[in-house]
Amino acid sequence: MIYNIPFFAVIILIAVGMYAVIFRRNLIKIAIGITIVESAVNLFLITLGYREGGVAPIYTNLPANVVIPGGMVLPVPQALTLTSIVIGVAVLALMLSFIIRIYQYYGTLDSKKVRRLKE
């Protein structure tokens, strides 16, 4: 049961983020919701790569016959998470720049008013 706590945290974070994306009208809050969902996905990737008693995959000059008790942790989830963080920062910067331009043009951050003003 203790091993399932990160998965429950992922579910809660995704629910909070999707609530903000679907039910909020402020564009900044929608961007925050998307960022929360992205953080939940990163937590999910790290949780999948966790191994009890695992060792970091750093190769040293150990002899070939040495057995590591917990085994090595897979480096792929960590690499995917680092890549996801970099992409997430770029996407957030792009969203915020669009939001700033929308505010400058329409004078509001309310998504329903912006939709109504496009006619």
Side-chain angles (χ1 to χ4, degrees), residues 14-47:
I14 288 178
V16 168
M18 291 306 292
Y19 173 78
V21 169
I22 294 171
F23 295 112
R24 294 293 172 198
R25 293 170 41 178
N26 190 328
L27 294 175
I28 298 289
K29 291 180 183 177
I30 292 171
I32 290 171
I34 291 171
T35 306
I36 290 172
V37 171
E38 177 209 343
S39 298
V41 170
N42 290 339
L43 178 62
F44 181 67
L45 285 173
I46 292 297
T47 303

Side-chain angles (χ1 to χ4, degrees), residues 45-46 49-50 56-57 73-85:
L45 285 173
I46 292 297
Y50 176 74
V73 178
L74 291 175
V76 175
Q78 285 129 3
L80 287 174
T81 303
L82 285 174
T83 305
S84 174
I85 289 170

Side-chain angles (χ1 to χ4, degrees), residues 33-109:
I34 291 171
T35 306
I36 290 172
V37 171
E38 177 209 343
S39 298
V41 170
N42 290 339
L43 178 62
F44 181 67
L45 285 173
I46 292 297
T47 303
L48 286 180
Y50 176 74
R51 179 181 287 180
E52 182 77 30
V55 178
I58 300 172
Y59 297 106
T60 60
N61 295 329
L62 288 176
N65 59 358
V66 174
V67 177
I68 299 171
M72 284 194 177
V73 178
L74 291 175
V76 175
Q78 285 129 3
L80 287 174
T81 303
L82 285 174
T83 305
S84 174
I85 289 170
V86 171
I87 292 170
V89 167
V91 168
L92 180 63
L94 188 64
M95 280 190 299
L96 291 177
S97 66
F98 282 151
I99 290 169
I100 289 170
R101 292 296 297 155
I102 287 170
Y103 182 74
Q104 288 173 348
Y105 188 77
Y106 292 113
T108 183
L109 292 176

